[in-house]
Amino acid sequence: MLVNLITMGCSKNLVDTGRVGTLLAESGFEVASELSFDCGGIVVINTCGFIGDAKEESIEMILSACKAKADGLVDAVYVMGCLSQRYRNELPDSIPEVDAWYGKFDWRGLAADLAAKYEPDAAEKPAVEADSEVPVSAYIKIAEGCNRFCAFCAIPLITGRYVSRPVEEVLDEVRRLAAAGTREFNIIAQDLSYYGRDIYGGQSALARLIDAMADIEGVEWIRLHYAYPADFPYDVLEVMARRSNVCKYLDIALQHISDKVLSNMRRHIDADGTRRLLARIRAAVPGIHIRTTLMVGFPGEGDAEFDELLAFVKEQRFERMGAFAYCEEDDTFAALNYDDDIPQEVKQARLDKLMAIQEDISYDVNRAKIGSKLRVLVTDENDDYYVGRTEFDSPEVDPEVLISKDCHISTGSFVNVEITGAEPYEIIGRVC
């Protein structure tokens, strides 16, 4: 019996989908991850409930799967994840064609229920094939939940309070993966800055974790995602600067720079604090690439506040940046206390203007790499190029390196590449 696992949303959902897949494989299911329904079988959709667009994409995927079921292309549709966690009482009545609904945290129950209902023969498909391919890159989720309660964000309503995984538990997972052949470890949490404070007497354990992780044989790259600007654990910067296998990369969502907007957002930091934070990061880790996320159109953002944001982006010249327009989320502080009174067309115009500025900055950042030699992890290939990433590039969201096919390169290997060309969101090179 085949189970097709479809993941919507962020890398944290990919981790949960992988856990479900492991349990199903151990129970004897054949597991696939296809966005189409051509492979048939049972469809499990891990949904996202973060912002309006993500919720809409999840709903559309569920409806498409239900139509495929009605057309006889798939046998059953199961739904899990953030969206179903948040709207567990409403969704079953709205989409009764779904066979069963699960939340974000009861994925073990989903796997057990599928095994009980379909009774696959575990002897027919071993959990790990002798020649199975071990992923060279993995996401490691070190905590769940969030205590920040930013005005716009529904994540604490979905995931609950912050819960860190113990250091040794995380290290054991990394050891197992590294021994099996994984080389790149992307460390993720809703809020890396808070890691360990809930279980280690209020003290951050992020630096201790990353330093110990860097000692594990086979760990080539460690990359940090989703730090929070307030209460940032500065001691992790010393580890990043000292350890060659900790990537000079930090994903830290700043959202805005206007004091008025930051206060309305309940971000626990102001403009001066944000600038001091960025200056300290760059001074501690020369050459670091900072990825941030910014928001436009939040209540209270007038033309002056938006102009301040534009000036901030030009001033900081972030190596990596994404942005999105504010979308009111049910039951958040903003939804309950502010009027979402900025027209959608104004939000979109601001977003377009912001990203146009960032495109020019990204082009300059990439052009500055021409002539340099960078270590690249090769992840794929197409008809014209091998495709890879540098330590400054996170999977899926950052620029790729297109490597000319002058010689054979194995996917999953590290090679030294001389950069010969650049575009805003990719660089071009050859093996040197």
Side-chain angles (χ1 to χ4, degrees):
M1 175 64 70
L2 177 106
V3 179
N4 182 15
L5 300 174
I6 297 175
T7 305
M8 312 298 294
C10 68
S11 53
K12 293 179 285 294
N13 273 7
L14 283 172
V15 174
D16 293 339
T17 301
R19 290 167 172 169
V20 173
T22 298
L23 291 177
L24 291 173
E26 290 173 350
S27 296
F29 288 95
E30 180 182 355
V31 177
S33 297
E34 301 292 338
L35 288 177
S36 69
F37 307 114
D38 297 340
C39 55
I42 301 162
V43 174
V44 175
I45 303 172
N46 190 359
T47 57
C48 178
F50 178 45
I51 59 175
D53 288 347
K55 290 191 288 187
E56 185 176 334
E57 289 175 0
S58 291
I59 292 293
E60 288 175 355
M61 181 61 72
I62 294 169
L63 293 176
S64 296
C66 290
K67 183 179 185 305
K69 174 185 170 184
D71 292 341
L73 300 178
V74 301
D75 298 313
V77 177
Y78 289 74
V79 178
M80 61 176 284
C82 294
L83 186 72
S84 54
Q85 175 78 26
R86 192 173 184 199
Y87 300 105
R88 192 75 166 268
N89 295 327
E90 297 89 345
L91 284 170
D93 291 335
S94 301
I95 314 178
E97 296 85 356
V98 171
D99 291 84
W101 298 85
Y102 296 81
K104 180 175 178 58
F105 303 105
D106 51 353
W107 43 271
R108 290 184 182 84
L110 186 156
D113 290 348
L114 284 176
K117 182 172 182 178
Y118 293 96
E119 297 181 350
D121 186 352
E124 300 223 352
K125 180 176 175 58
V128 179
E129 302 280 2
D131 60 348
S132 63
E133 183 178 350
V134 175
V136 71
S137 178
Y139 290 102
I140 305 296
K141 184 158 61 172
I142 64 173
E144 189 67 86
C146 184
N147 290 357
R148 303 291 184 174
F149 289 94
C150 298
F152 56 84
C153 186
I155 287 176
L157 304 177
I158 299 170
T159 62
R161 291 283 185 169
Y162 200 96
V163 179
S164 300
R165 295 175 62 194
V167 166
E168 275 306 317
E169 179 183 305
V170 177
L171 294 177
D172 284 344
E173 179 182 3
V174 172
R175 290 186 190 103
R176 289 194 301 271
L177 287 168
T182 302
R183 294 293 172 255
E184 178 186 53
F185 296 85
N186 296 288
I187 311 306
I188 58 174
Q190 302 292 352
D191 174 6
L192 285 184
S193 299
Y194 198 83
Y195 174 72
R197 296 180 191 273
D198 57 320
I199 58 175
Y200 297 118
Q203 299 298 311
S204 171
L206 184 63
R208 175 160 63 98
L209 172 69
I210 300 304
D211 205 16
M213 195 180 297
D215 281 332
I216 297 174
E217 184 177 357
V219 174
E220 297 275 357
W221 279 353
I222 302 168
R223 192 179 290 106
L224 304 183
H225 299 78
Y226 320 127
Y228 195 87
D231 307 313
F232 182 81
Y234 286 104
D235 52 349
V236 79
L237 299 177
E238 186 276 330
V239 176
M240 187 180 291
R242 176 168 48 86
R243 306 303 297 252
S244 61
N245 56 352
V246 179
C247 297
K248 309 302 184 282
Y249 179 102
L250 181 66
D251 191 327
I252 180 168
L254 299 175
Q255 305 302 352
H256 218 280
I257 194 59
S258 160
D259 282 342
K260 176 184 177 181
V261 177
L262 288 171
S263 177
N264 286 355
M265 287 180 169
R266 306 174 86 193
R267 289 290 287 172
H268 318 293
I269 195 169
D270 60 11
D272 286 344
T274 299
R275 286 187 168 91
R276 288 196 302 271
L277 168 67
L278 292 170
R280 189 166 172 180
I281 291 171
R282 293 196 185 281
V285 188
I288 191 172
H289 281 41
I290 296 176
R291 162 167 278 280
T292 195
T293 304
L294 301 173
M295 183 190 300
V296 300
F298 191 78
E301 184 193 66
D303 291 339
E305 289 75 23
F306 178 64
D307 288 343
E308 189 177 352
L309 182 63
L310 292 179
F312 175 64
V313 170
K314 293 176 182 178
E315 162 202 315
Q316 292 292 326
R317 298 184 64 79
F318 294 106
E319 290 80 8
R320 311 282 183 254
M321 193 198 85
F324 63 102
Y326 171 68
C327 175
E328 186 175 271
E329 294 298 318
D330 297 339
D331 300 322
T332 59
F333 183 90
L336 298 174
N337 292 276
Y338 303 141
D339 290 329
D340 183 12
D341 55 2
I342 300 176
Q344 185 60 38
E345 58 269 23
V346 174
K347 294 179 184 177
Q348 188 61 50
R350 290 177 180 176
L351 181 61
D352 292 343
K353 189 172 184 178
L354 183 67
M355 291 310 299
I357 290 172
Q358 181 60 31
E359 183 173 357
D360 290 340
I361 294 171
S362 296
Y363 188 29
D364 290 343
V365 168
N366 284 347
R367 282 195 301 177
K369 292 181 169 66
I370 294 176
S372 64
K373 297 177 180 179
L374 300 175
R375 191 169 186 239
V376 174
L377 172 61
V378 181
T379 57
D380 201 356
E381 68 174 297
N382 55 39
D383 291 340
D384 301 315
Y385 297 100
Y386 293 105
V387 181
R389 291 180 286 102
T390 73
E391 68 172 296
F392 309 118
D393 306 308
S394 188
E396 300 179 11
V397 295
D398 288 331
E400 293 179 322
V401 184
L402 305 181
I403 308 167
S404 60
K405 288 189 166 181
D406 299 328
C407 59
H408 175 73
I409 307 174
S410 299
T411 300
S413 63
F414 288 86
V415 294
N416 293 321
V417 174
E418 180 182 1
I419 306 305
T420 59
E423 297 294 336
Y425 300 114
E426 63 189 17
I427 53 179
I428 302 164
R430 58 172 175 258
V431 174
C432 57

PDB file of all heavy atoms in Angstrom, residues 109-122:
ATOM      1  N   GLY A 109      -0.358   9.170  15.983  1.00  0.00           N
ATOM      2  CA  GLY A 109      -1.678   8.569  15.905  1.00  0.00           C
ATOM      3  C   GLY A 109      -2.111   8.336  14.476  1.00  0.00           C
ATOM      4  O   GLY A 109      -2.731   7.308  14.155  1.00  0.00           O
ATOM      5  N   LEU A 110      -1.791   9.268  13.593  1.00  0.00           N
ATOM      6  CA  LEU A 110      -2.125   9.097  12.175  1.00  0.00           C
ATOM      7  C   LEU A 110      -1.448   7.850  11.618  1.00  0.00           C
ATOM      8  O   LEU A 110      -2.092   7.016  10.962  1.00  0.00           O
ATOM      9  CB  LEU A 110      -1.689  10.337  11.393  1.00  0.00           C
ATOM     10  CG  LEU A 110      -2.067  10.424   9.906  1.00  0.00           C
ATOM     11  CD1 LEU A 110      -2.111  11.882   9.463  1.00  0.00           C
ATOM     12  CD2 LEU A 110      -1.077   9.681   9.017  1.00  0.00           C
ATOM     13  N   ALA A 111      -0.148   7.709  11.870  1.00  0.00           N
ATOM     14  CA  ALA A 111       0.581   6.543  11.363  1.00  0.00           C
ATOM     15  C   ALA A 111       0.020   5.249  11.940  1.00  0.00           C
ATOM     16  O   ALA A 111      -0.146   4.250  11.225  1.00  0.00           O
ATOM     17  CB  ALA A 111       2.067   6.680  11.690  1.00  0.00           C
ATOM     18  N   ALA A 112      -0.298   5.258  13.243  1.00  0.00           N
ATOM     19  CA  ALA A 112      -0.838   4.059  13.874  1.00  0.00           C
ATOM     20  C   ALA A 112      -2.221   3.719  13.312  1.00  0.00           C
ATOM     21  O   ALA A 112      -2.531   2.539  13.085  1.00  0.00           O
ATOM     22  CB  ALA A 112      -0.913   4.259  15.391  1.00  0.00           C
ATOM     23  N   ASP A 113      -3.047   4.741  13.087  1.00  0.00           N
ATOM     24  CA  ASP A 113      -4.389   4.495  12.557  1.00  0.00           C
ATOM     25  C   ASP A 113      -4.333   3.934  11.138  1.00  0.00           C
ATOM     26  O   ASP A 113      -5.103   3.038  10.776  1.00  0.00           O
ATOM     27  CB  ASP A 113      -5.206   5.785  12.570  1.00  0.00           C
ATOM     28  CG  ASP A 113      -5.563   6.221  13.983  1.00  0.00           C
ATOM     29  OD1 ASP A 113      -5.374   5.429  14.920  1.00  0.00           O
ATOM     30  OD2 ASP A 113      -6.008   7.378  14.155  1.00  0.00           O
ATOM     31  N   LEU A 114      -3.418   4.461  10.317  1.00  0.00           N
ATOM     32  CA  LEU A 114      -3.279   3.927   8.953  1.00  0.00           C
ATOM     33  C   LEU A 114      -2.820   2.468   8.998  1.00  0.00           C
ATOM     34  O   LEU A 114      -3.329   1.623   8.247  1.00  0.00           O
ATOM     35  CB  LEU A 114      -2.285   4.770   8.154  1.00  0.00           C
ATOM     36  CG  LEU A 114      -2.773   6.124   7.647  1.00  0.00           C
ATOM     37  CD1 LEU A 114      -1.651   6.877   6.963  1.00  0.00           C
ATOM     38  CD2 LEU A 114      -3.933   5.934   6.670  1.00  0.00           C
ATOM     39  N   ALA A 115      -1.865   2.186   9.865  1.00  0.00           N
ATOM     40  CA  ALA A 115      -1.369   0.811   9.963  1.00  0.00           C
ATOM     41  C   ALA A 115      -2.467  -0.145  10.416  1.00  0.00           C
ATOM     42  O   ALA A 115      -2.579  -1.271   9.933  1.00  0.00           O
ATOM     43  CB  ALA A 115      -0.176   0.759  10.918  1.00  0.00           C
ATOM     44  N   ALA A 116      -3.304   0.322  11.370  1.00  0.00           N
ATOM     45  CA  ALA A 116      -4.376  -0.525  11.876  1.00  0.00           C
ATOM     46  C   ALA A 116      -5.462  -0.745  10.823  1.00  0.00           C
ATOM     47  O   ALA A 116      -6.018  -1.846  10.702  1.00  0.00           O
ATOM     48  CB  ALA A 116      -4.983   0.101  13.126  1.00  0.00           C
ATOM     49  N   LYS A 117      -5.738   0.286  10.034  1.00  0.00           N
ATOM     50  CA  LYS A 117      -6.825   0.181   9.060  1.00  0.00           C
ATOM     51  C   LYS A 117      -6.436  -0.633   7.835  1.00  0.00           C
ATOM     52  O   LYS A 117      -7.221  -1.439   7.319  1.00  0.00           O
ATOM     53  CB  LYS A 117      -7.277   1.569   8.629  1.00  0.00           C
ATOM     54  CG  LYS A 117      -8.438   1.557   7.642  1.00  0.00           C
ATOM     55  CD  LYS A 117      -8.988   2.951   7.384  1.00  0.00           C
ATOM     56  CE  LYS A 117     -10.185   2.895   6.440  1.00  0.00           C
ATOM     57  NZ  LYS A 117     -10.764   4.235   6.205  1.00  0.00           N
ATOM     58  N   TYR A 118      -5.211  -0.420   7.340  1.00  0.00           N
ATOM     59  CA  TYR A 118      -4.822  -1.042   6.078  1.00  0.00           C
ATOM     60  C   TYR A 118      -3.949  -2.273   6.269  1.00  0.00           C
ATOM     61  O   TYR A 118      -3.721  -3.026   5.310  1.00  0.00           O
ATOM     62  CB  TYR A 118      -4.107  -0.015   5.193  1.00  0.00           C
ATOM     63  CG  TYR A 118      -5.043   1.090   4.745  1.00  0.00           C
ATOM     64  CD1 TYR A 118      -5.096   2.286   5.430  1.00  0.00           C
ATOM     65  CD2 TYR A 118      -5.903   0.909   3.660  1.00  0.00           C
ATOM     66  CE1 TYR A 118      -5.963   3.304   5.046  1.00  0.00           C
ATOM     67  CE2 TYR A 118      -6.776   1.905   3.272  1.00  0.00           C
ATOM     68  CZ  TYR A 118      -6.802   3.108   3.970  1.00  0.00           C
ATOM     69  OH  TYR A 118      -7.673   4.102   3.577  1.00  0.00           O
ATOM     70  N   GLU A 119      -3.442  -2.485   7.486  1.00  0.00           N
ATOM     71  CA  GLU A 119      -2.682  -3.682   7.840  1.00  0.00           C
ATOM     72  C   GLU A 119      -1.661  -4.072   6.775  1.00  0.00           C
ATOM     73  O   GLU A 119      -1.717  -5.168   6.202  1.00  0.00           O
ATOM     74  CB  GLU A 119      -3.637  -4.861   8.078  1.00  0.00           C
ATOM     75  CG  GLU A 119      -4.585  -4.615   9.247  1.00  0.00           C
ATOM     76  CD  GLU A 119      -5.502  -5.793   9.495  1.00  0.00           C
ATOM     77  OE1 GLU A 119      -5.541  -6.718   8.660  1.00  0.00           O
ATOM     78  OE2 GLU A 119      -6.164  -5.800  10.533  1.00  0.00           O
ATOM     79  N   PRO A 120      -0.697  -3.182   6.482  1.00  0.00           N
ATOM     80  CA  PRO A 120       0.336  -3.547   5.506  1.00  0.00           C
ATOM     81  C   PRO A 120       1.227  -4.648   6.052  1.00  0.00           C
ATOM     82  O   PRO A 120       1.354  -4.824   7.266  1.00  0.00           O
ATOM     83  CB  PRO A 120       1.128  -2.252   5.326  1.00  0.00           C
ATOM     84  CG  PRO A 120       0.940  -1.540   6.629  1.00  0.00           C
ATOM     85  CD  PRO A 120      -0.456  -1.871   7.093  1.00  0.00           C
ATOM     86  N   ASP A 121       1.850  -5.372   5.147  1.00  0.00           N
ATOM     87  CA  ASP A 121       2.748  -6.449   5.539  1.00  0.00           C
ATOM     88  C   ASP A 121       4.161  -5.901   5.628  1.00  0.00           C
ATOM     89  O   ASP A 121       4.804  -5.644   4.616  1.00  0.00           O
ATOM     90  CB  ASP A 121       2.690  -7.585   4.508  1.00  0.00           C
ATOM     91  CG  ASP A 121       3.507  -8.796   4.943  1.00  0.00           C
ATOM     92  OD1 ASP A 121       4.224  -8.671   5.957  1.00  0.00           O
ATOM     93  OD2 ASP A 121       3.428  -9.823   4.269  1.00  0.00           O
ATOM     94  N   ALA A 122       4.645  -5.694   6.847  1.00  0.00           N
ATOM     95  CA  ALA A 122       5.969  -5.101   7.032  1.00  0.00           C
ATOM     96  C   ALA A 122       7.065  -5.963   6.413  1.00  0.00           C
ATOM     97  O   ALA A 122       8.128  -5.464   6.054  1.00  0.00           O
ATOM     98  CB  ALA A 122       6.247  -4.888   8.519  1.00  0.00           C
TER      99      ALA A 122
END
